[in-house]
Amino acid sequence: MKQIGVCLSSCPPGYFGQRSPERNECIKCKADCEACFNQNFCTKCKNGFYLHLGKCLENCPDRLEPNNHTMECNDIVHCKINEWSQWSPCTRKGKTCGFKRGNETRERDYA
């Protein structure tokens, strides 16, 4: 790759490689993008922006919520979970009769 007259094995952060028969060069990502795949697809945004479908956004679109840890827009998921079921009878080797060391199970489902 060629960046300002210097040959590089890969492009520096904030640039992506573009190859052509005449020359290979590094092209700068968009201003809000810290790393990109090409001019139109960001893979990591600069501070203060959220990544969504290759774009850097100041705010997440409707029906999505910002994840301040990953700095991405995520689906809003609100789950309600039922209470735990009662414990099953204690079993050991397929038999259910008062063993001291056996297995008991219980379950809970999404509402």
Side-chain angles (χ1 to χ4, degrees):
M1 295 287 174
K2 187 174 181 180
Q3 177 70 17
I4 311 173
V6 177
C7 293
L8 305 170
S9 59
S10 63
C11 293
Y15 290 79
F16 68 95
Q18 183 170 338
R19 299 180 185 273
S20 68
E22 296 81 39
R23 69 179 184 180
N24 299 330
E25 60 186 336
C26 295
I27 298 174
K28 190 164 180 53
C29 298
K30 290 184 178 182
D32 54 6
C33 188
E34 189 172 308
C36 60
F37 179 72
N38 62 36
Q39 190 71 36
N40 298 313
F41 196 92
C42 187
T43 55
K44 184 176 181 186
C45 297
K46 289 188 176 175
N47 286 336
F49 292 93
Y50 296 98
L51 183 64
H52 178 64
L53 301 175
K55 305 283 185 216
C56 294
L57 309 171
E58 289 186 52
N59 298 300
C60 292
D62 289 343
R63 297 182 308 280
L64 297 175
E65 64 184 353
N67 180 324
N68 292 323
H69 179 70
T70 63
M71 295 308 290
E72 296 178 347
C73 296
N74 295 331
D75 290 326
I76 297 172
V77 179
H78 296 288
C79 313
K80 184 175 178 184
I81 299 176
N82 292 325
E83 295 296 319
W84 286 102
S85 67
Q86 295 296 316
W87 286 103
S88 69
C90 183
T91 62
R92 184 173 180 191
K93 296 183 181 179
K95 296 182 181 178
T96 59
C97 56
F99 291 103
K100 289 184 180 179
R101 295 179 190 230
N103 293 316
E104 291 179 307
T105 60
R106 64 183 186 166
E107 299 174 352
R108 67 194 269 182
D109 296 320
Y110 295 104

